[in-house]
Each structure stands twice: as C-alpha cells, then as structure tokens.
Amino acid sequence: MGIRAAVVVCATSFLLGALFTHWIADSLTLWKSPVTDQNLWTAASYYAILAKGPIELHYLLASVVTIGGTTILWSLLDGEAGNLMFDGGSIFLFATTVAMYLYSVLPNILTVFTSLPVHQANDAVPTDLRSIILDVASNNLISSVALTGVLGLQAGRFWAENSTDDDDQDLVDSDLRSKSPPLDSGAESS
C-alpha cells in the first residue's frame, strides 16, 4: 500500500512541477494588472515553444499521467473505506485535470500556437488569441490546484491510516495490560 501511495505522490508531484514551469507565461496573464499586449505576446511565444517542442516530451508526460492514474485506480479498487474516500477524491481531481488538458489546453496549444502571426512586442493581440491565452493560463492554474488537492488527499489518507494504526496499537497495549497478572510487591522470597 505504501508503494502505491508513493507512486501517486511522485507522479502528481512531477506533473505539478511541469505545470509550475508554465508560471513564466501564466504569471504575466493571470497575476499582472492590467494585462498588456506585451505580456500576452510573451505568453503566446512561450506556448509556441511548447507546441514546437519534441514529441518525446508529450510521450513522457502521457506515461507519467498513465502511471499516476492507473495507480490511483488500482488502489481505489481495493474497496477499503479509506481508499474509497481519499482515492475517490484523488481520481476525481486527477481525471478532471486530464480531461481539461485533453479537451482544452492541448488542442489550443497544438493548433493555435504552432503558427503565431508575425508581430512586434507592443502590437495589439487579436481578441480570439487573447481569449485563448487567458483560457490556457486559467486551465493551468485550475490543474495546479486540482493536483495539489490530490497531494492533500494522499497526505490525509496517510495520516488517517497512521492514526488508525496508532489507535490499534494503543488498544492492543491496554488489552495486554488488563490481562497481565499484577505484580505482587509484598511477596517474600524463600
């Protein structure tokens, strides 16, 4: 059981790290006010680099997602109450992130950003491109929060399991104390 949790935590942490690299672009669009055309072009250029990157990186991310999702499902199928609660929530958040990426982020990055129009840093960003850049940045943020939730649920599961183990040990210790014969301090030796 510990190995499965470790695989889920490692896969989720790796994916979070990959999402955090997008902070270069996302911080310019989500956390700066007002959002300038220069910031939007910088974010668009970053996404264009991702779109033109080596396909092996996409395969690596897909394999990490597959390993993480499969491991959560495997743990969920054990049917234990803790697994149903914590892993059920984890698979929901993990699946939400995967669905968002498959249906929104990746199609936008692989179609829109493969060929950006020629522009200067201060040129006006077309309205449809502006909307897509903000949408991709928002989806990256939502995915980061969801994957952080997976880590939180896995930590909660670990805490709950260890708390139960401690309670079981306390019960065994008190049971042993109640069954052991009392020590007779007044007994004389011959």
Side-chain angles (χ1 to χ4, degrees), residues 3 25 31 35 61-62 67 79 83-84 86 89 103 112 116 185:
I3 292 175
W31 306 105
V35 177
L61 287 174
I67 289 168
N83 290 357
L84 293 175
F86 292 111
Y103 294 109
V112 173
L116 284 179
S185 59

Side-chain angles (χ1 to χ4, degrees), residues 121-141:
N122 291 325
D123 287 350
V125 176
T127 307
D128 57 336
L129 183 59
R130 172 185 287 268
S131 174
I132 291 171
I133 292 168
L134 294 173
D135 186 45
V136 169
S138 297
N139 288 337
N140 283 337
L141 179 63

Side-chain angles (χ1 to χ4, degrees), residues 39-125:
N39 289 350
L40 289 169
W41 282 121
T42 301
S45 299
Y46 173 80
Y47 295 135
I49 292 169
L50 290 180
K52 296 173 186 172
I55 193 71
E56 291 82 14
L57 290 179
H58 298 283
Y59 292 140
L60 173 67
L61 287 174
S63 63
V64 171
V65 167
T66 302
I67 289 168
T70 303
T71 306
I72 295 173
L73 282 173
W74 181 19
S75 185
L76 180 66
L77 294 176
D78 282 351
E80 295 178 20
N83 290 357
L84 293 175
M85 183 173 60
F86 292 111
D87 289 337
S90 293
I91 200 65
F92 174 78
L93 292 173
F94 202 86
T96 300
T97 300
V98 170
M100 187 178 309
Y101 252 75
L102 288 177
Y103 294 109
S104 180
V105 175
L106 288 178
N108 280 332
I109 288 177
L110 297 177
T111 58
V112 173
F113 296 105
T114 53
S115 60
L116 284 179
V118 177
H119 64 277
Q120 296 295 322
N122 291 325
D123 287 350
V125 176

Side-chain angles (χ1 to χ4, degrees), residues 24-45:
I24 297 166
D26 297 344
S27 67
L28 297 174
T29 56
L30 295 177
W31 306 105
K32 302 279 184 185
S33 183
V35 177
T36 64
D37 288 326
Q38 184 176 4
N39 289 350
L40 289 169
W41 282 121
T42 301
S45 299

Side-chain angles (χ1 to χ4, degrees), residues 123-164:
D123 287 350
V125 176
T127 307
D128 57 336
L129 183 59
R130 172 185 287 268
S131 174
I132 291 171
I133 292 168
L134 294 173
D135 186 45
V136 169
S138 297
N139 288 337
N140 283 337
L141 179 63
I142 292 167
S143 297
S144 296
V145 170
L147 290 177
T148 302
V150 171
L151 289 179
L153 285 168
Q154 292 302 309
R157 176 181 167 198
F158 177 77
W159 177 79
E161 287 175 355
N162 283 345
S163 176
T164 302

